Amino acid sequence: MARPPSRTPPSTVEARLHAAQEAEQAATQRVQQASRARLAELLQLPARERLAHLDDPALVGPDRVNLRRSLQADLTRPRRRWRPGGRLQALGRRLGAAALRQLLHPAVLGLAGITGVWLYTAWSATPQLAISTQALASNLVGPDGRVQSYTFPARTWVPVERLDAQVAQTRVWYSGQGYGHGTVWRSGLDLSR
């Protein structure tokens, strides 16, 4: 007949289990201490050499993560050069950003638009200036509707409102009344200025 399995007393099993757990904890501590010591050695190396030890079997998980983070920090961080004007540049960037925010304010943009329309209107109403190369005679229609004879002397400024193929539309200011309009021959004007 078969023998029944021998039963050890419960206190012996518990003692062996407790001893095995203590041995496991001690072994885990030794492995972690060895891993931390190896990590300290690896962190002393330059980043390029540490890269070769990413999968070092002597490192435990958290120490591998620390090694990867140190590599990431060293390899992605740009080298900062010392610049004497660094503070001035930073101040300029801050002031430039503040000025840009103020310039993009809706009220400022509205004023800029109104000013642009006003300047365009003033520019389009301002005549082009030409110099008369000879005395130019013209019949001007005054602000009151009367036609008067007017002569532009040679080598004087002539305000030109519009250029046509043969003639130029001019204007002359009558003090207290307004503009008188007339035409002169285009060949008598120097438009190069």
Side-chain angles (χ1 to χ4, degrees):
M1 222 167 158
R3 240 177 179 194
S6 66
R7 295 200 170 217
T8 56
S11 61
T12 308
V13 172
E14 290 174 7
R16 289 174 59 195
L17 179 63
H18 185 65
Q21 288 174 345
E22 285 179 358
E24 178 194 14
Q25 288 176 354
T28 302
Q29 281 184 336
R30 283 193 306 271
V31 168
Q32 287 176 350
Q33 286 175 352
S35 176
R36 269 183 259 147
R38 180 68 177 148
L39 178 64
E41 290 173 12
L42 292 176
L43 289 178
Q44 300 298 320
L45 298 174
R48 301 283 177 199
E49 291 181 32
R50 277 184 275 158
L51 194 58
H53 297 284
L54 272 178
D55 295 323
D56 193 335
L59 295 176
V60 293
D63 291 336
R64 267 197 198 112
V65 170
N66 288 338
L67 180 63
R68 284 193 175 108
R69 285 184 182 157
S70 73
L71 280 170
Q72 184 179 16
D74 285 347
L75 295 178
T76 59
R77 183 176 50 214
R79 300 271 184 221
R80 296 190 73 195
R81 295 182 185 149
W82 182 79
R83 293 185 181 140
R87 289 184 179 160
L88 290 176
Q89 288 175 348
L91 178 64
R93 281 193 297 272
R94 280 196 305 267
L95 291 177
L100 183 64
R101 277 194 305 271
Q102 290 176 355
L103 285 176
L104 293 178
H105 191 276
V108 173
L109 292 176
L111 286 174
I114 291 170
T115 304
V117 168
W118 180 79
L119 287 174
Y120 175 75
T121 303
W123 176 76
S124 62
T126 302
Q128 176 183 0
L129 289 177
I131 296 179
S132 60
T133 57
Q134 58 194 8
L136 297 171
S138 176
N139 290 330
L140 295 178
V141 178
D144 56 358
R146 291 184 315 182
V147 177
Q148 297 177 350
S149 177
Y150 186 84
T151 302
F152 291 100
R155 308 301 303 159
T156 59
W157 294 103
V158 178
V160 177
E161 286 186 322
R162 190 178 75 217
L163 289 172
D164 293 330
Q166 299 288 324
V167 293
Q169 302 288 326
T170 62
R171 71 180 184 187
V172 176
W173 175 253
Y174 290 109
S175 182
Q177 297 177 5
Y179 285 107
H181 299 276
T183 58
V184 294
W185 292 107
R186 185 174 176 169
S187 60
L189 297 174
D190 180 16
L191 299 167
S192 62
R193 294 189 182 194

